[in-house]
Amino acid sequence: MGLDFTAIDFETANGFRGSPCSVGLTKVRGGRIVAEASWLMRPPAGYDIFDHHNVRIHGITPADVAGSPRFGELFPEIGAFIGDDVIVAHNAAFDLGVIRSALEVSGLPGPAYDYVCTVMLSRRCYSLVSNSLPFAAEEAGVPLVNHHDAAEDARACAGILIDIAARNGANSIAELYLSLGLAMPRQEAFDPATGDLSKASLTALAGNSGNGAALVRPFQSGWPEEGLNPEPNLDAEPGHPLYAQTVVFTGQLSINRPDAKLRSARCGARTENRVTARTTVLVVGDGFVASDLRSGRLTGKARRVLEVHERGQAIEVLSEGEFLQMVGGAEEARGLPVGAGAAWAGATAAGA
């Protein structure tokens, strides 16, 4: 087999990952792009309120999708385009989660997919201050002009995997994973009528009043309160992008830092209050985007990260949007720390 796959990117209307409003797909055969598709869509009924935080990122409004089919009506076409391909996405857990949650709340079953995460591969194969899509795409030689346009993002994601495979002398995804000592992750088939729902869907269903209002994130103002640093969840999924990482937050987030720290710990991360030699991830609020690393619109902690990165310390910078994709949207905040193991039920002192 050659280097064959379909890259995918979703944009969502609000903090619930089951609220897709656009999708882009890029099909690759033999390491070359052979087809592309993209659609606007209305999110599933009851989950179609547009959060201003999301609109600020991708620019899609309710008026833009007013005449479009809902996700459940459109998925047969999306699924037909993907076929039996491996799905490739930048932060694949989010995009696979979009498919699952949006189908679940639509009352529809979903197929199994093998998938590849180019964030994880970028971390392994590149040495970047940020593995966000624009930085990884530039490193891969496929610069991204219009980030958060789903079609362009899917095309850039495809280019990243093509580049990483070439750098590793791999002619297929199987060869690439073998050379890196990795196992291919898989999302199993599901049917909401007969099986368990995902945690994201359960939380959204429990909190949704029917008009989606609970999915909209309130704006947090004032100086951020650090809160306690909870112990990492030792039972978290080792393949999660934040597992075993040491995370620090800077700037104003749309969620409060104690919640952000709990979500990180749930995924197996350790949180701290300042950048040290242990720091591996810095999450930046205040509307930060990857280009700010070059423009100089940075907090003191972010400038510190650039300094230590130049000296060889591997620290990755994430925007709040990327962080929320990794740890779950706003709808999951109400569930914290439900399901947390005893390993992280306690918390250390704030300065620990």
Side-chain angles (χ1 to χ4, degrees):
M1 292 180 61
L3 188 62
D4 301 342
F5 61 87
T6 293
I8 191 167
D9 180 81
F10 283 102
E11 300 297 331
T12 57
N14 55 61
F16 174 43
R17 62 183 56 185
S19 65
C21 57
S22 73
V23 65
L25 301 115
T26 297
K27 186 171 288 290
V28 172
R29 289 290 179 267
R32 294 181 179 274
I33 294 173
V34 297
E36 295 183 317
S38 63
W39 290 274
L40 290 174
M41 68 194 75
R42 287 182 295 156
Y47 303 89
D48 50 4
I49 295 294
F50 278 69
D51 187 333
H52 73 278
H53 293 284
N54 294 60
V55 174
R56 182 183 64 183
I57 290 171
H58 53 56
I60 301 169
T61 67
D64 293 326
V65 303
S68 302
R70 292 202 184 272
F71 173 82
E73 300 170 304
L74 190 58
F75 186 74
E77 291 185 64
I78 297 172
F81 187 95
I82 297 170
D84 295 328
D85 279 2
V86 173
I87 286 182
V88 177
H90 206 69
N91 189 19
F94 169 77
D95 295 279
L96 270 294
V98 170
I99 293 174
R100 174 152 190 164
S101 287
L103 286 174
E104 285 177 335
V105 297
S106 300
L108 298 171
Y113 289 116
D114 292 325
Y115 64 91
V116 169
C117 179
T118 50
V119 170
M120 301 295 288
L121 293 180
S122 174
R123 284 179 169 178
R124 275 182 167 261
C125 300
Y126 298 152
S127 180
L128 304 173
V129 68
S130 171
N131 288 292
S132 66
L133 188 59
F135 272 70
E138 183 173 312
E139 177 70 16
V142 287
L144 184 59
V145 176
N146 190 17
H147 188 23
H148 294 298
D149 176 279
E152 290 201 28
D153 285 359
R155 188 183 309 128
C157 177
I160 292 167
L161 182 55
I162 291 169
D163 178 67
I164 288 175
R167 293 189 187 204
N168 286 273
N171 295 313
S172 68
I173 292 177
E175 283 187 19
L176 175 63
Y177 268 63
L178 182 63
S179 69
L180 296 175
L182 299 173
M184 178 79 67
R186 181 177 177 85
Q187 176 167 283
E188 298 297 340
F190 58 90
D191 187 340
T194 59
D196 294 335
L197 299 182
S198 64
K199 183 175 180 180
S201 296
L202 286 171
T203 308
L205 287 166
N208 189 10
S209 61
N211 61 8
L215 305 173
V216 177
R217 287 174 274 166
F219 178 74
Q220 304 285 336
S221 61
W223 190 258
E225 175 192 354
E226 285 287 348
L228 300 178
N229 290 305
E231 289 296 316
N233 174 18
L234 299 181
D235 296 323
E237 171 55 51
H240 191 278
L242 295 180
Y243 184 82
Q245 304 295 318
T246 299
V247 181
V248 174
F249 298 89
T250 186
Q252 183 69 59
L253 308 178
S254 62
I255 61 173
N256 62 56
R257 286 194 191 175
D259 278 351
K261 288 184 174 184
L262 281 171
R263 298 194 206 192
S264 302
R266 183 181 62 187
C267 298
R270 182 174 299 281
T271 62
E272 294 186 339
N273 297 348
R274 60 185 182 275
V275 175
T276 69
R278 296 183 296 272
T279 306
T280 57
V281 174
L282 179 73
V283 178
V284 185
D286 294 318
F288 165 87
V289 293
S291 60
D292 292 334
L293 288 170
R294 296 189 179 91
S295 70
R297 193 180 73 85
L298 298 171
T299 65
K301 286 181 181 176
R303 290 193 185 93
R304 168 72 174 154
V305 163
L306 292 180
E307 292 171 3
V308 299
H309 193 274
E310 289 177 357
R311 296 201 296 267
Q313 182 176 341
I315 301 181
E316 179 178 357
V317 180
L318 298 176
S319 68
E320 181 189 7
E322 292 167 323
F323 170 75
L324 287 175
Q325 283 191 347
M326 291 180 180
V327 301
E331 86 290 345
E332 294 190 32
R334 295 186 302 276
L336 291 170
V338 173
W344 67 285
T348 60

